[in-house]
Amino acid sequence: MDEYSVARQRMVEQIARRGLREPRLLAAFERVPRHLFVPREHWPWAYADDPLPIGFGQTISQPYVVALMTDLLHLKGDERVLEVGTGSGYQAAILAHLAAVVHTVEFLPELAARAEKVIRELALDNVICHVGDGSLGWPQAAPYDAILVAAAAPDVPPPLLDQLADGGRLVIPVGGRGFQSLDVWERRGDTFEHEASIAVAFVPLRGEHGWGK
Ligand code: SAH
């Protein structure tokens, strides 16, 4: 329990009211203290269903979108997961409660360091933080049963499809710099099926298969 327990419970109820009711998913949102992932001046708003600035022009996604993207991965608990765009580290912390191992890659070293500090303080030992261009994936630890991209790509980066395990799922916002479609890809052997979910607005994915530097 902490001073934000009640606010956090309300946030979880709101996610459930919007249709995401899987008990393991909701339990993960109950366990992760979102306020620790945002700058202290934003703590009073940490449990509203809104994105918040985390510095360097980046944002932590709104809780409902984090929940939806996580839900679309269909995690059972034994998966190896790759997240591209660590940002605050909040999404990685949620994934840590729902999968076996989470590799998360962040482009900006300062953000990566801050996220890793919170993740270590929470003793989420199954999260491994990396600094680099996640539009190339993280080939050293591939393949992954699930890949979540938290920044908007002009197209699906081919390395991410390559690094997906058979039966694996990839969730990624694809489209222009303003709005994108949240796409879900699933690998079946050497073929890929994909479908579009909702419209979203993410910060741009940088790097080789993103929008560049
Ligand atoms: N999942 C985050 C939200 C991240 S916002 C959270 O829970 O807080 C998107 C992040 O992607 C930003 O921190 C941005 O710096 C990072 N990013 C953008 N392009 C990237 C790339 N090519 N590789 C890794 N990270 C990238």
Side-chain angles (χ1 to χ4, degrees):
M1 293 287 275
D2 57 66
E3 62 175 310
Y4 293 105
S5 303
V6 173
R8 189 156 55 245
Q9 188 57 43
R10 286 211 192 97
M11 178 192 81
V12 171
E13 284 161 12
Q14 190 169 351
I15 291 169
R17 265 202 305 278
R18 290 187 67 177
L20 301 174
R21 301 210 171 82
E22 218 254 298
R24 285 180 68 246
L25 180 77
L26 297 178
F29 280 83
E30 267 166 36
R31 289 173 70 178
V32 179
R34 188 172 188 259
H35 62 282
L36 298 183
F37 293 89
V38 303
R40 194 174 280 264
E41 67 263 30
H42 297 309
W43 281 17
W45 300 279
Y47 295 95
D49 198 19
D50 292 313
L52 286 170
I54 54 172
F56 305 96
Q58 306 303 321
T59 53
I60 178 174
S61 308
Q62 76 179 93
Y64 174 73
V65 172
V66 176
L68 177 64
M69 291 178 86
T70 308
D71 191 58
L72 289 168
L73 293 176
H74 296 179
L75 300 173
K76 301 278 180 288
D78 58 355
E79 293 85 358
R80 297 168 48 75
V81 180
L82 173 67
E83 181 196 25
V84 175
T86 313
S88 68
Y90 179 69
Q91 170 81 72
I94 293 289
L95 293 169
H97 289 292
L98 295 165
V101 183
V102 180
H103 286 269
T104 181
V105 189
E106 171 56 50
F107 200 73
L108 301 173
E110 297 88 345
L111 276 181
R114 219 160 61 189
E116 182 161 27
K117 183 164 177 283
V118 182
I119 284 166
R120 296 283 81 90
E121 278 164 10
L122 293 174
L124 297 170
D125 298 332
N126 59 340
V127 178
I128 305 159
C129 300
H130 308 282
V131 176
D133 176 6
S135 80
L136 301 168
W138 191 260
Q140 294 91 321
Y144 304 98
D145 305 299
I147 301 179
L148 187 157
V149 183
D155 269 306
V156 176
L160 298 183
L161 293 177
D162 287 345
Q163 291 169 34
L164 208 53
D166 196 10
R169 291 166 71 83
L170 162 68
V171 175
I172 179 169
V174 173
R177 276 173 176 269
F179 288 90
Q180 308 89 32
S181 143
L182 190 58
D183 287 354
V184 185
W185 290 72
E186 188 171 319
R187 181 173 200 149
R188 303 248 171 83
D190 284 331
T191 63
F192 295 87
E193 290 176 8
H194 74 110
E195 59 186 31
S197 164
I198 60 167
V200 286
F202 274 83
V203 297
L205 179 73
R206 297 157 95 167
E208 197 168 321
H209 294 280
W211 298 93
K213 300 279 166 199

